[in-house]
Amino acid sequence: MDATRGMRRVFRRLAARDARRQAREEADPAAPAPSEPLTQAPAAPTSARAAPADSRPPGGPTSPPARPRQPQPRRPLGGAARPAAHPTHPRRGGRSAGAVFDDLVTARRRQAEGRQAGARAQKPAGVVTAGAGRSGRERAVAPAAVKTPGLEAAFTPESLGRAWLHIKANGGGPGVDGVSLDDFTAHAEAELAALRRDVLGGVYRATPIRTVWVPKRSGEGQRPLAKWTIRDRVAQRALVEYLEPTFEKRFLDCSFGFRPGRGVQDATARILTLRDQGLRWVVDADIKKCFEHIDPGLLQQRLRSELDDPGLLWLLEGWIQVRIMNALAGQRPTAGTSQGGPISPLLANIYLHPLDVKLTQAKLNLVRYADDLVVLCPRRQDAEAALAQVEDGLRELRLELNPKKTRLVSFDEGFQFLGVFFIGNKHHYLGF
């Protein structure tokens, strides 16, 4: 870098010297350059009267007469005078120092572009390693063919219209861009058209988010909530509607949270059925800060194994890696699956699906609702073994149980799950 700056200074000085020489030549074409030695005095005009011998300047007849100083162009304010075009010089084949410098810069830029193209050719499609000064994680870039079948199917004008109506019905405040629901409504048609054009054109980028802390429904502490812009929420909702049918075919019956046609009442009915079958010991567990602790790298690997559309992967990875503007010290600086975005529940279910598979293949009676789960067993020792398998399955996902909210309990003692209190052969909906 220092060598390049030194070369630039040298070329600027050469260009300035050439400009001064050209200005002098234009002002007095007959005058020789000051660096060329004079061998004889110029001939005097015939109309001029010869000067007396004693009035000649010292130095003899070979001394040149004094040449009047030509006025120099005034230097503009703010810097040195600069010629409008590169002056030419015969010693450089008619090319100026500035032109030589421009060629050097162009050549170096082409070399750098060639190195970058070679590095990109060695990376898998859809991702590129972040540059120096970053953590070395991979960030999403637009695929070579942006208009992939998945993106075109997910972002039709009709699907974006449905997604916008869903976001509008759910309400919520603006993101960091300050655009409210009313602002978006006033220009909804143009906003949706621009969003579709940006996504299919590969220029869409999610806006950085802020997190706010809201009280938990249980009243115990607070949880972070991501504030996405309305534009990003609409895009996420459109992709959720497109991906849900695909993943619903893969998800298992033991999962009830954030799935269409399933809810708390369905999970409650499943628990009651298992209880009536004689499974009266329960592993009552809670995954510790599940949404915040989901590993982005493992999630992206999971998505790549499930989806073969580079456009969809580009979009999903962009949301996972978007920056949190007010991240606390020690907190992950990227969004991941932070709660608050329409895409987060689906991503959480995709991430936890291997846990469902592992436990059901082990013949365990699992009921999971997002990050809350219970495993029903006939005896206490069976529940102890089931708890160890749950911990092992979460360890593979780099997650862990919350020890304060995890215990082995029987229906005779009673326990609470999803706002429902189970005790004996009865259950009560709390808050109703």
Side-chain angles (χ1 to χ4, degrees):
M1 182 62 71
D2 293 339
T4 302
R5 291 177 179 172
M7 293 180 65
R8 289 178 178 174
R9 286 196 294 268
V10 170
F11 281 120
R12 282 198 295 268
R13 291 174 184 172
L14 290 174
R17 189 181 68 181
D18 291 342
R20 290 194 297 269
R21 180 181 288 108
Q22 184 180 22
R24 286 194 297 269
E25 292 174 354
E26 291 176 354
D28 188 4
S35 59
E36 299 174 358
L38 298 174
T39 57
Q40 63 180 10
T46 56
S47 60
R49 187 172 53 184
D54 56 357
S55 64
R56 292 177 183 175
T62 59
S63 300
R67 186 171 58 189
R69 184 176 181 181
Q70 298 293 334
Q72 297 294 326
R74 180 171 295 180
R75 177 176 298 179
L77 295 178
R82 217 177 154 182
H86 293 310
T88 60
H89 195 284
R91 295 181 182 178
R92 300 186 182 93
R95 302 179 68 252
S96 67
V100 173
F101 174 69
D102 289 345
D103 289 346
L104 177 63
V105 172
T106 302
R108 292 196 173 186
R109 184 177 67 248
R110 290 176 178 173
Q111 291 176 357
E113 291 174 351
R115 288 193 297 268
Q116 294 174 1
R120 285 194 296 268
Q122 298 177 359
K123 296 301 296 178
V127 296
V128 64
T129 302
R134 297 183 181 271
S135 63
R137 64 182 182 275
E138 291 189 340
R139 56 184 174 84
V141 297
V146 177
K147 290 186 178 181
T148 59
L151 281 184
E152 290 190 302
F155 287 87
T156 64
E158 294 77 16
S159 63
L160 283 171
R162 291 192 302 270
W164 158 236
L165 293 178
H166 187 277
I167 297 300
K168 184 178 180 181
N170 283 349
V176 297
D177 61 354
V179 177
S180 66
L181 287 171
D182 291 339
D183 298 332
F184 200 95
T185 302
H187 309 282
E189 185 175 351
E191 290 282 0
L192 297 178
L195 175 59
R196 182 174 186 268
R197 183 172 59 252
D198 290 350
V199 170
L200 297 183
V203 298
Y204 167 84
R205 296 294 183 273
T207 305
I209 63 173
R210 291 184 184 274
T211 55
V212 295
W213 294 85
V214 297
K216 293 183 178 180
R217 292 181 180 179
S218 62
E220 301 177 1
Q222 296 179 324
R223 62 185 178 92
L225 191 67
K227 295 187 66 175
W228 294 83
T229 64
I230 295 173
R231 171 184 170 91
D232 292 334
R233 279 143 58 185
V234 171
Q236 290 185 13
R237 180 61 198 175
L239 193 55
V240 167
E241 289 189 1
Y242 175 74
L243 292 178
E244 264 186 349
T246 299
F247 284 100
E248 278 298 310
K249 298 176 182 178
R250 306 175 189 178
F251 291 157
L252 303 182
D253 289 338
C254 61
S255 172
F256 293 88
F258 305 113
R259 295 182 60 184
R262 289 171 167 252
V264 173
Q265 291 185 345
D266 302 286
T268 301
R270 177 61 177 163
I271 292 174
L272 295 178
T273 299
L274 295 172
R275 179 202 66 184
D276 295 342
Q277 293 176 359
L279 307 180
R280 303 188 67 86
W281 276 93
V282 179
V283 178
D284 181 15
D286 175 85
I287 303 175
K288 183 179 180 180
K289 297 182 178 180
C290 177
F291 284 86
E292 298 101 292
H293 288 175
I294 286 177
D295 186 275
L298 287 181
L299 175 59
Q300 290 173 195
Q301 291 179 15
R302 180 70 183 167
L303 291 172
R304 290 169 194 158
S305 67
E306 296 286 346
L307 300 172
D308 59 358
D309 188 293
L312 299 179
L313 291 172
W314 159 69
L315 202 56
L316 289 167
E317 292 178 0
W319 289 327
I320 293 171
Q321 297 166 6
V322 72
R323 183 170 63 91
I324 300 177
M325 298 181 62
N326 60 335
L328 301 176
Q331 181 185 3
R332 186 175 59 205
T334 53
T337 55
S338 300
Q339 296 183 76
I343 197 69
S344 296
L346 176 61
L347 294 179
N349 276 332
I350 294 173
Y351 190 83
L352 293 173
H353 178 67
L355 176 67
D356 299 343
V357 173
K358 179 181 180 67
L359 298 183
T360 53
Q361 287 180 348
K363 307 300 182 182
L364 296 181
N365 297 285
L366 171 68
V367 178
R368 183 178 66 82
Y369 193 100
D371 54 347
D372 292 320
L373 61 92
V374 292
V375 180
L376 283 75
C377 306
R379 299 173 299 177
R380 180 181 176 88
Q381 53 265 42
D382 298 327
E384 292 173 350
L387 176 59
Q389 289 180 287
V390 171
E391 291 176 331
D392 184 58
L394 289 175
R395 195 176 299 112
E396 294 176 0
L397 297 176
R398 301 179 186 176
L399 296 173
E400 59 182 347
L401 292 174
N402 186 341
K404 296 181 179 179
K405 297 182 179 181
T406 300
R407 62 174 183 153
L408 303 181
V409 63
S410 70
F411 276 90
D412 294 336
E413 299 174 71
F415 66 96
Q416 178 182 332
F417 183 67
L418 304 178
V420 182
F421 185 72
F422 300 88
I423 184 168
N425 293 326
K426 299 180 180 180
H427 66 282
H428 307 276
Y429 288 90
L430 303 179
F432 293 92

